[in-house]
Amino acid sequence: MEPPAPSRRVTIVDVARHAQVSTTAVSKVLRNAYGASPEMRAKVRRAIDELGYRPLAAARGLRGRTYTIGVMLPDIRNPFFPEIVDGITGRLADTDYQVFLGPGGCNDEKAEARVTEAMIDRGMDGIVLIAPVSSRARLEHIATAVPTVVVGRHGHSSVYDTVTDDDVAGASMLVGHLTGLGHRRIAHIEHHETDPTRSEEMPNAQRADGYRRAMRAHGLAGEIDVVSTSYTQEGGYEGARQLLARPHRPTAVFAGADIVAMGVLEAFAEAGVSVPDDISVAGYDNTTFASFGPISLTSVDQAGHEIGANAARLLVERIADRLKPPVQIKLSPTLVPRRTTAPPPA
């Protein structure tokens, strides 16, 4: 038996005939162009719905827009990044734009380059890069090819917009919370960074800097204790194991991200260390699992949804005007105390 012949794709000519209008009128409605009356728009939209017409993205791209936006995620396992994506998609919900996600390879510059190049090659109208590890020169190269918004990098550029959290303030807030509870031996688990530019611009470096500044401000310069691993659950686990091996254990641990705190809690549970009775633990990001009752993790809320919404707004504005001055948005974090932090043991 021969397979059934594929059904013919509905074309703009079919829509025009069904609506009893010209193809030019249908084109105006599709492009939201001037010159189509409300009645005309209603007839065309009704015909589109009845016929199930879908314009080819490639054809739309030839006319100047594909109405697609690429979002590069550095690590799909980190529960904070979906918060940003949710903010992006929420902001674009009432537009014609569709969002396509591309995993960037977890701090791998080559994998990140492959993803961004694929987005450019497919004619996406704009790109949001979340915590990219590429060099500034590479980011500016991308931004000259396609409208770009960079999330989570503190450096400024003349060709792309940025949205960040005030990571220094957030880290200071958390250290202040722990010292207010009476802690002095407060350790920090950071993401190991060697590139000098990223050491200035990445959130992990800013949080580590904020931790050090806050410890000095509270008269605890001699208690500064930083473990460098990675912003992953495995990194948190390894960092906690190192801290447990210290001759004088800290009484509190500031994990640089909630995903890191997950690994810390796992290592402490394996070692029979009670949180917060023996050691307090705090994270950063206020992800969904932080508020989960059995975990109840103290964390810094950097408003991921708001970060994403701002990134989408800036990108749409830059798509409309490539020459507009660059915009840098820095959001203020808030502290969310929960049950994983308490006064140190007597």
Side-chain angles (χ1 to χ4, degrees), residues 231-253:
Y231 268 15
T232 61
Q233 186 169 341
E234 295 79 10
Y237 181 89
E238 174 58 30
R241 298 276 294 178
Q242 291 184 37
L243 291 172
L244 289 174
R246 296 276 201 269
H248 300 287
R249 291 180 180 178
T251 62
V253 177

Side-chain angles (χ1 to χ4, degrees), residues 134-194:
S134 295
S135 68
R136 191 181 302 172
R138 171 65 188 165
L139 296 180
E140 293 190 337
H141 169 75
I142 295 168
T144 57
V146 62
T148 301
V149 174
V150 175
V151 170
R153 284 278 291 257
H154 289 265
H156 294 176
S157 169
S158 62
V159 291
Y160 58 76
D161 304 306
T162 61
V163 185
T164 61
D165 166 63
D166 192 337
D167 294 289
V168 171
S172 177
M173 207 177 293
L174 194 45
V175 171
H177 166 69
L178 293 170
T179 58
L181 291 171
H183 292 277
R184 293 180 56 82
R185 296 200 308 275
I186 303 168
H188 175 58
I189 300 177
E190 69 169 359
H191 180 87
H192 181 62
E193 193 62 79
T194 56

